[in-house]
Amino acid sequence: MTLLLTGYEPFGDHTRNPSATVARELDGKEIAGREVVGRVLPVEFDRTGNEMEELIAKFEPEAVVATGLAAGRSAISVERVGINVADCGGTPDNADAEPRDERICAGGDDALFATIPVVETVSTLLDSGIPARVSNTAGTHLCNNVLYRTRAHLEREEMDVPMGFVHLPLTPAGAAEKAQDGEATSGGSVQPSLPLAMQKEAVTRAFETTVGN
Ligand code: PCA
């Protein structure tokens, strides 16, 4: 049995994306007796959903957790819901697409809930000493997109595969790099961060909570 984990490549003004590193580093590892397939998705509205569908067809995972970067958030955010909206919010995707107030799927459900145990995962993370929270919005960029599209795909195909999305904060190195552009040396603020090892543990626990130890 496999567990499918995806991260995203860097996008916008980010030169790195911890979700890609986590996916690469957990690829091939074992979690709860299953093999992790870790892959990095393109930050492109026209490609991401299709690539995810291909990965699901190829690896037939028992559970899917997609991840991405939410710079500025201070905790691991386990997303509750994906909405039927594509809006780049001023950050073009990596193919320069800039959707504004579009529907992901015309006539589709307004919103689709994640089917991993969202609340239980957050409780597990907090018990493990990892700052975490339920998030009620994954935004309207690619992170929301892959959550909504994958849930819609699994429902259409009548596949009983739990799927969810986890937003990761910056790493300390990422926060330091971002602070170079700001006023930190004059007393300005620095964005919150969590170490990569903790981010990896959070993703591991999310899978364990979903499929059992
Ligand atoms: N974060 C963006 C898209 C890719 C990523 O890692 C988001 O939150 O939608």
Side-chain angles (χ1 to χ4, degrees), residues 7-9 11 17 19 43 67-70 138-144 165 167:
Y8 269 124
E9 62 188 11
F11 67 103
N17 192 327
S19 68
V43 180
T67 67
L69 169 66
T140 56
H141 210 277
L142 259 309
C143 292
N144 172 74
F165 191 92
H167 260 126

